[in-house]
Amino acid sequence: MTWQYTPYIIPILIASIVSFTVAILAWKRRAIYGATPLVVLMVSITQWMVAYILEIGSTTTASNLLWANIAYIGIVLGPVAWMFFAIEYTNPIKKVTLRTAVPFLIEPAFILLVAWTDNLHHLFRATVALDVSGPFAYLVITRGPLFWVHVAYSYGVLTYGTYRLIRAYFHTSGIYRAQIGVSVLGTFAPWIINILYISPAASLFIIDPTPIAFMVTGVMFAWGIFGYRLMDISPVARNSVIEQMDDGMFVVDTLNRVVDINAAAQAVLRKPIDRIIGLPIEEVFDEWSHLVEQYRDVERANTQIRFSNGGQTHFYNLNISPLHDKQGRVTGRLVMLYNNTEQRMAEIALREAKEAAEAANRAKSTFLANMSHELRTPLTAIIGYSELLQEQTAVMDDTNLPQRLQKISVSADHLLHIINDLLDLSKVEAGQMTLSISSFNVTSVIESVQVVVQPTLAENNNHLTVHFNLDTDLTMEADQAKVRQILLNILHNAAKFTKDGEIVLTVQHDPADASQIMFQITDNGIGISEIQVKQLFRPFFQADLSPTRRYGGTGLGLAISYHLCKLMNGDIQVQSKLGEGTCFNIFLPLVTSEKTISANGETAHL
Ligand code: ADP
């Protein structure tokens, strides 16, 4: 292949370098809407021009045609890329995808095929001749019908792209308008130049200036999208927040102009988009002037704002964060607004309801405490007098009377027990349970509970074994009555829910903490299911809720024991297996000083 030099190569070479540079710049910013089609446009033009340089540098018809055909790759792609640029640029919500692009690429592919196979049909180039009469050789072509088909198609897509840009220009205001205006101006160059080139006056041009005109367009487009630095910010934000989200999003540039906004934000402002984009925030948020004043220079914020509008209160969550470019410079701010009026209203209603419920609960506890107290006084008298009468009637000769009086006495005792439990629970819940700390011997407490629980053990034919793995004279500093009460509750339950069984009470140091004492009470009774174990320490819980309850009781004992343990900075744990038995571990500090008791005796929630 021999080559010729012509000075016409120089402008095309310069134009191709410019095009390629713009392609690289656009590629680096491909996140920006319109940038990817711009890359395709500029690469197509570069390819077209490079092939064109090689074409006009060739000296034979064959090599001229070869390069002309190669140039057609860029020639057919350029106008389509141009249209995609206009579509994406004027609708910065949807990017053009390969799927949407394919139908528009059918004609270019067809034309490429036609151009490459032209020597078979001459429908694209009717005649081809190499003019060597001048200072350098160049191809002289008579166009065939399919060439004009391609011209029509290219003009079609260019017209559509131009229409999109002009329409956007008239529908936009502020800084965006100027930005689109630059792109609109850019569209004129290829129109004018190409019309001149393919018109009969074409003899004016020895070389085809169309790619150079496209290069001018590309530069203008690039200026349009990058020059104003506006789109620099908005696509960054757009990529991270979806247009359809509920939160209102505004992007504000460093000059406090609104440069982007999503649909939810527009709904908050109730203004057409052309009265928002590109305008200063004071104008856009004219109804919120005090907030504009307050947050005008705030780079970062996350706060609740509240304002009244037409007698209605609105709550918004306002979040402001800075936007940075790749060099870390602040390029603007992202403002997010979330209307949480409903949520806040619901919260307020919930808080009021909770306060009302707590007040009602406190009232209930006070009522229970008072009522239990009231009930206890006459009951004590009933018990006292029935015992007295029992003694007196024992000497009389009525055999039924002492028995009946004893029944009264037992029932009254039972009632007193229930009332005492209720009183204890209401005291604990009202935070009024106090401790009376004293030093006492652990052995004597164990001995006394053994005596008390004996009747229940005997009733169910159970046997109790005590393993006392401590010094017999070990003393404990705690509330003796409450320690007794806990042990009695648990032992009493073990005896109640076991029949003909073995109950073991082990007393030792807590293996995990020597400053604590551990009472372990195991039985081989009815056991508790896994689900029920979880609710065991809740007041009024009873495993057996059948109407024919076999065991009686109120379901208060364990809840009280739990609270008392916690009150003395101890703990109570349970393991159980249905049908096999239960094991309770009670942990209590050997020394419960007043100051280690949790403030105001508050207890954990069950
Ligand atoms: P009460 O014994 O008055 O019903 P408690 O609070 O002492 O109330 O016990 C609650 C429930 O826990 C009992 O009704 C019983 O279902 C279950 N429970 C407690 N201890 C045992 C145990 N050792 N074996 C089986 N079930 C038990």
Side-chain angles (χ1 to χ4, degrees):
M1 221 180 250
T2 52
W3 299 98
Q4 61 181 1
Y5 168 75
T6 91
Y8 295 107
I9 289 174
I10 298 190
I12 306 175
L13 191 66
I14 294 170
S16 62
I17 293 168
V18 173
S19 297
F20 195 60
T21 313
V22 174
I24 292 171
L25 283 179
W27 175 251
K28 281 188 180 159
R29 295 163 167 209
R30 58 193 176 280
I32 295 173
Y33 282 77
T36 312
L38 186 60
V39 172
V40 179
L41 175 62
M42 295 323 267
V43 168
S44 305
I45 294 166
T46 312
Q47 190 272 341
W48 175 357
M49 287 194 280
V50 170
Y52 193 42
I53 289 169
L54 295 169
E55 181 192 326
I56 55 180
S58 304
T59 50
T60 62
T61 313
S63 58
N64 258 279
L65 266 181
L66 170 74
W67 291 116
N69 281 343
I70 290 174
Y72 256 89
I73 301 173
I75 294 174
V76 294
L77 272 179
V80 182
W82 153 306
M83 182 186 67
F84 289 147
F85 166 80
I87 292 176
E88 217 177 85
Y89 182 53
T90 54
N91 177 23
I93 289 179
K94 246 168 67 192
K95 284 219 170 203
V96 175
T97 61
L98 204 60
R99 247 180 65 193
T100 45
V102 163
F104 294 95
L105 294 171
I106 294 171
E107 191 273 353
F110 172 71
I111 291 299
L112 215 52
L113 191 73
V114 165
W116 287 350
T117 56
D118 188 62
N119 57 348
L120 303 176
H121 47 71
H122 297 291
L123 289 170
F124 196 67
R125 298 181 187 103
T127 61
V128 178
L130 194 68
D131 188 333
V132 286
S133 59
F136 62 92
Y138 69 96
L139 272 189
V140 180
I141 292 166
T142 330
R143 275 123 195 180
L146 286 178
F147 173 83
W148 297 109
V149 168
H150 177 60
V151 168
Y153 182 77
S154 300
Y155 277 33
V157 294
L158 290 185
T159 309
Y160 182 65
T162 308
Y163 158 73
R164 291 280 299 230
L165 287 169
I166 293 176
R167 196 185 59 167
Y169 176 76
F170 286 111
H171 280 79
T172 319
S173 66
I175 201 87
Y176 266 160
R177 191 165 196 182
Q179 194 181 355
I180 293 178
V182 173
S183 303
V184 171
L185 275 183
T187 61
F188 291 131
W191 279 113
I192 298 165
I193 298 290
N194 196 254
I195 288 170
L196 285 178
Y197 179 64
I198 60 167
S199 72
S203 49
L204 272 177
F205 301 96
I206 292 174
I207 55 157
D208 180 0
T210 319
I212 299 180
F214 269 111
M215 180 276 293
V216 172
T217 308
V219 171
M220 299 284 262
F221 282 176
W223 182 18
I225 59 171
F226 309 132
Y228 283 85
R229 299 185 54 83
L230 292 175
M231 294 295 251
D232 273 9
I233 306 168
S234 53
V236 177
R238 277 204 185 280
N239 288 346
S240 54
V241 280
I242 308 157
E243 174 66 14
Q244 279 81 15
M245 70 189 183
D246 292 339
D247 295 17
M249 179 209 80
F250 304 88
V251 180
V252 177
D253 70 5
T254 42
L255 299 174
N256 275 328
R257 295 174 303 197
V258 176
V259 293
D260 200 7
I261 175 172
N262 72 348
Q266 208 191 331
V268 173
L269 289 173
R270 290 166 304 172
K271 281 184 182 175
I273 198 102
D274 61 343
R275 286 192 44 218
I276 299 171
I277 298 292
L279 297 179
I281 49 171
E282 306 73 40
E283 252 174 78
V284 177
F285 296 90
D286 47 358
E287 286 177 42
W288 312 40
S289 51
H290 66 287
L291 287 171
V292 171
E293 216 35 63
Q294 197 176 343
Y295 292 103
R296 160 164 265 293
D297 301 312
V298 176
E299 208 174 74
R300 210 179 270 279
N302 187 6
T303 180
Q304 290 285 330
I305 55 171
R306 167 199 178 127
F307 70 93
S308 299
N309 191 358
Q312 273 190 322
T313 305
H314 294 273
F315 292 94
Y316 281 92
N317 193 24
L318 170 74
N319 190 301
I320 303 176
S321 46
L323 292 170
H324 297 104
D325 63 9
K326 279 201 187 112
Q327 284 74 39
R329 288 181 301 235
V330 174
T331 51
R333 288 177 296 161
L334 177 68
V335 181
M336 305 288 296
L337 263 188
Y338 176 64
N339 185 346
N340 59 357
T341 309
E342 264 178 47
Q343 191 188 331
R344 285 296 300 273
M345 291 298 190
E347 269 170 28
I348 292 169
L350 203 68
R351 200 174 51 226
E352 282 170 2
K354 185 173 168 260
E355 279 166 9
E358 277 171 1
N361 194 38
R362 272 195 302 276
K364 180 211 77 183
S365 297
T366 315
F367 166 76
L368 269 179
N370 292 342
M371 197 194 62
S372 309
H373 200 78
E374 289 301 313
L375 286 171
R376 206 156 58 148
T377 317
L379 208 54
T380 321
I382 295 171
I383 294 168
Y385 282 112
S386 61
E387 275 169 4
L388 205 68
L389 280 173
Q390 240 173 294
E391 282 164 23
Q392 286 175 0
T393 50
V395 290
M396 288 162 59
D397 216 15
D398 184 343
T399 46
N400 285 331
L401 209 54
Q403 238 180 349
R404 286 177 188 155
L405 282 169
Q406 199 195 356
K407 275 191 181 154
I408 296 176
S409 167
V410 168
S411 305
D413 263 341
H414 186 62
L415 211 53
L416 183 65
H417 184 74
I418 295 172
I419 291 169
N420 280 340
D421 274 359
L422 274 175
L423 194 58
D424 277 354
L425 188 74
S426 56
K427 268 193 189 163
V428 170
E429 284 192 342
Q432 286 165 0
M433 180 68 94
T434 50
L435 295 178
S436 143
I437 309 285
S438 63
S439 185
F440 55 90
N441 180 263
V442 182
T443 322
S444 60
V445 172
I446 299 297
E447 278 167 2
S448 78
V449 292
Q450 251 179 297
V451 174
V452 178
V453 84
Q454 207 52 55
T456 323
L457 285 167
E459 212 173 289
N460 285 333
N461 194 28
N462 289 318
H463 179 254
L464 172 70
T465 317
V466 178
H467 296 299
F468 196 86
N469 303 336
L470 294 167
D471 274 350
T472 42
D473 53 357
L474 181 85
T475 55
M476 222 180 134
E477 254 176 68
D479 186 322
Q480 186 179 1
K482 300 212 163 49
V483 175
R484 260 187 102 232
Q485 191 176 348
I486 297 167
L487 291 175
L488 269 176
N489 271 339
I490 309 295
L491 270 174
H492 185 78
N493 277 344
K496 190 161 101 178
F497 297 105
T498 310
K499 211 156 178 58
D500 306 321
E502 189 63 41
I503 294 161
V504 182
L505 165 64
T506 312
V507 190
Q508 62 177 67
H509 282 292
D510 173 4
D513 180 358
S515 70
Q516 295 210 111
I517 191 167
M518 176 175 125
F519 302 94
Q520 185 174 70
I521 296 160
T522 49
D523 65 56
N524 56 357
I526 62 168
I528 310 158
S529 75
E530 213 175 306
I531 302 167
Q532 288 176 329
V533 161
K534 294 195 180 110
Q535 313 171 41
L536 209 59
F537 297 110
R538 292 197 182 151
F540 310 107
F541 170 80
Q542 290 189 306
D544 179 14
L545 291 175
S546 59
T548 54
R549 284 173 51 215
R550 274 174 296 163
Y551 301 102
T554 55
L556 292 175
L558 285 182
I560 293 168
S561 304
Y562 177 88
H563 281 297
L564 294 181
C565 274
K566 290 284 171 185
L567 203 60
M568 289 189 277
N569 288 323
D571 198 11
I572 181 164
Q573 291 165 359
V574 59
Q575 288 134 33
S576 189
K577 207 152 190 203
L578 203 60
E580 288 185 17
T582 308
C583 170
F584 280 91
N585 285 324
I586 301 152
F587 303 91
L588 289 172
L590 278 167
V591 178
T592 314
S593 60
E594 295 281 358
K595 55 180 180 304
T596 60
I597 299 167
S598 52
N600 72 22
E602 210 166 84
T603 49
H605 281 285
L606 292 174

